[in-house]
């Protein structure tokens, strides 16, 4: 039982490049979330999903897109990376809501 | 909107000292309250939670009581260990989707 995994762990992009972050969970959770963590600001919600095929915007969605084609996977895309998107990205999931969220280990992204 | 305010760190303590981290919140409705902990290089994990007024959450020697009258959820531990060194986040949710609003986090450093 791996819990919540994130791929990749680290990535460096140049401004304007695109990439996709993958989050996978093996707990059959309905709810999945993408957060970004910046110094002094805690975690802020980017997008979330309440089930396969559904997504919704969080607090800071601009510049990001998401997809949940399979229940166990939640993808976060950056179409044209900007230095302001340099951050640590965390994925989380929960079986029901509101309830305990289980977090992945994070992806550290640097945009030059 | 909803918000969480927690004391700034770092908080530096000696082993076996008493730890308090203050957390206050502003929310519409009746939030569920959480404390998450982030150990170095890892994702967040739930430490404890409380879902209604006067509830006390406890885990690993940590406690926090949901005080509606003072809109607070302060974290306490009677005798800290070096292994408690981490960043602690207070968080709340007020909706049925479980979207979390985090405080900025408080770094705790425990020295031998």
């Amino acid at each position: 039982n791996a819990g919540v995994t994130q791929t990749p762990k680290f990535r460096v992009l140049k401004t304007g490049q695109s990439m996709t972050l993958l989050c996978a969970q093996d707990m059959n959770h309905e709810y999945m979330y993408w957060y970004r963590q910046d110094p002094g600001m805690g975690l802020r919600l980017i997008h979330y999903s309440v089930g396969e095929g559904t997504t919704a915007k969080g607090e800071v969605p601009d510049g990001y897109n998401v997809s949940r084609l399979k229940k166990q996977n939640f993808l976060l895309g950056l179409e044209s990376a900007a230095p302001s998107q340099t951050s640590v990205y965390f994925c989380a999931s929960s079986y029901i809501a509101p309830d305990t969220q289980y977090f992945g280990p994070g992806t550290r992204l640097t945009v030059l | 909107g909803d918000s969480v305010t927690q004391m700034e760190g770092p908080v530096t303590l000696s082993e076996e000292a008493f730890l308090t981290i203050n957390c206050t919140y502003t929310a519409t409705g009746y939030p569920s309250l959480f404390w998450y902990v982030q150990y170095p290089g890892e994702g967040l994990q739930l430490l404890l939670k409380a879902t209604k007024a006067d509830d006390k959450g406890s885990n690993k020697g940590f406690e926090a009581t949901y005080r509606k009258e003072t809109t607070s959820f302060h974290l306490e531990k009677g005798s800290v260990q070096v292994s408690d060194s981490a960043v602690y986040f207070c968080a709340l949710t007020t909706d049925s989707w479980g979207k979390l609003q985090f405080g900025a986090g408080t770094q705790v450093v425990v020295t031998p």
Side-chain angles (χ1 to χ4, degrees), chain B residues 41-62:
Chain B
E42 299 183 8
L44 281 70
Q45 56 186 273
L46 180 73
L47 183 59
L48 52 83
K49 65 181 179 182
T51 58
K52 61 184 188 295
D54 299 325
D55 269 2
K56 177 186 282 188
S58 61
N59 185 26
K60 298 181 180 180
F62 290 90

Side-chain angles (χ1 to χ4, degrees), chain A residues 33 37 42 90 99-101 103, chain B residues 36 38 44 46 49 97-98:
Chain A
Y33 310 85
Q37 181 181 27
F90 287 101
D99 199 9
T100 302
Q101 291 184 18
F103 284 78
Chain B
Y36 281 86
Q38 184 180 29
L44 281 70
L46 180 73
K49 65 181 179 182
W97 311 125

Side-chain angles (χ1 to χ4, degrees), chain A residues 11-19 21 36 38 44 61-65 77-89 108-112:
Chain A
R11 186 72 186 269
V12 178
L13 290 178
K14 294 181 180 178
T15 296
Q17 288 185 318
S18 63
M19 78 163 294
L21 282 66
R36 58 178 288 173
D38 301 295
R44 293 178 292 167
D62 293 343
Y64 305 95
N65 56 75
L78 286 73
E79 290 187 347
S80 179
S84 60
Q85 294 176 305
T86 293
S87 188
V88 181
Y89 292 85
R108 184 174 294 275
L109 175 66
T110 301
V111 182
L112 302 175

Side-chain angles (χ1 to χ4, degrees), chain A residues 31 33 35 37-38 40-45 48 50 57-59 90 94 97-106, chain B residues 6 32 34 36 38 41-47 49 51 87 89 93-105:
Chain A
Y31 298 80
Y33 310 85
Y35 296 91
Q37 181 181 27
D38 301 295
M41 301 185 72
L43 281 75
R44 293 178 292 167
L45 182 66
Y48 64 103
V50 301
K57 294 179 180 180
E59 180 184 354
F90 287 101
S94 66
D99 199 9
T100 302
Q101 291 184 18
Y102 295 85
F103 284 78
Chain B
Q6 58 182 108
S32 294
F34 304 83
Y36 281 86
Q38 184 180 29
E42 299 183 8
L44 281 70
Q45 56 186 273
L46 180 73
L47 183 59
K49 65 181 179 182
T51 58
V87 180
F89 292 94
T93 182
T94 57
D95 66 34
S96 57
W97 311 125
K99 295 179 290 181
L100 288 172
Q101 184 73 39
F102 284 89

